[in-house]
Amino acid sequence: MADAALRLFLERGYDDVGIREIADAADVSTTTLFKHFPVKEALVLDEDAEQEARLLAAVRERPEGQSLPAALREHALSIRLAPGDGDPRFAAFTALVNGTPALLGYGRKMWLRHTAALSRVIAAESGLAAADPACTALARFALEAPRAAAVHDDTRAAVTRVLELLERGWSTLSPEA
């Protein structure tokens, strides 16, 4: 279903494709489609659980001695800002998402849903209390870094700069530092 939807969106644009067309292309009913994808945007951005698992693993499985902000920086640079290795499908997908306000908003909302889970892992890994607002702040700011950096010409350098700032602040209060 998601593959059929993406093909149609890339051919005609997100706003010019209806749910019934997607269901017909996938040879399912609209009821079935909505059982698997509660909103149209989820047909494009449907890897939420996998993304969270990779994000939390980046923190839990970081090399010994690597700080939490450094692990989050490496994750952002290698996963969130992955170049797609020149794959034209990746470029088309990225252009679709970046050129569609509904997809940008949905993607941001879904990504920021990971704040609570990441905050809990940060607390567990750092030895800080689970309720410590510094854990929530680090999680939220690290998740926002790629979006904040997107307006700069060199996004990768901007993400690195933002996470370096978080690193300096984190090192002043974390027992793991």
Side-chain angles (χ1 to χ4, degrees):
M1 291 179 276
D3 290 340
L6 184 57
R7 181 179 48 75
L8 291 169
F9 294 151
L10 290 172
E11 286 173 5
R12 298 196 347 244
Y14 178 82
D15 293 324
D16 293 331
V17 177
I19 293 297
R20 174 154 309 285
E21 291 176 85
I22 297 165
D24 290 346
D27 198 27
V28 299
S29 69
T30 55
T31 303
T32 299
L33 188 131
F34 279 124
K35 283 182 184 175
H36 296 278
F37 301 95
V39 295
K40 185 177 171 184
E41 294 84 355
L43 287 157
V44 177
L45 303 166
D46 65 342
E47 297 180 353
D48 196 49
E50 295 91 352
Q51 287 182 349
E52 183 173 286
R54 286 191 301 265
L55 172 66
L56 300 181
V59 172
R60 288 184 182 124
E61 299 167 10
R62 71 192 186 284
E64 187 168 334
Q66 184 181 52
S67 69
L68 295 170
L72 292 165
R73 180 190 65 234
E74 293 308 311
H75 180 269
L77 293 174
S78 65
I79 304 297
R80 297 297 295 169
L81 298 177
D85 295 325
D87 183 344
R89 294 172 300 170
F90 181 81
F93 174 81
T94 301
L96 173 69
V97 172
N98 289 339
T100 308
L103 292 174
L104 275 175
Y106 180 80
R108 180 173 185 263
K109 181 177 101 176
M110 294 305 289
W111 183 239
L112 292 178
R113 283 182 12 174
H114 303 308
T115 301
L118 181 56
S119 178
R120 286 189 298 274
V121 170
I122 288 170
E125 291 291 315
S126 69
L128 294 173
D132 191 318
C135 297
T136 303
L138 177 59
R140 180 62 177 245
F141 296 149
L143 291 173
E144 285 280 12
R147 182 175 172 85
V151 299
H152 297 276
D153 291 336
D154 187 345
T155 305
R156 297 178 69 77
V159 165
T160 298
R161 181 99 168 117
V162 169
L163 270 297
E164 286 172 351
L165 174 66
L166 294 176
E167 176 86 48
R168 285 192 296 278
W170 185 254
S171 69
T172 67
L173 52 94
S174 171
E176 61 113 23

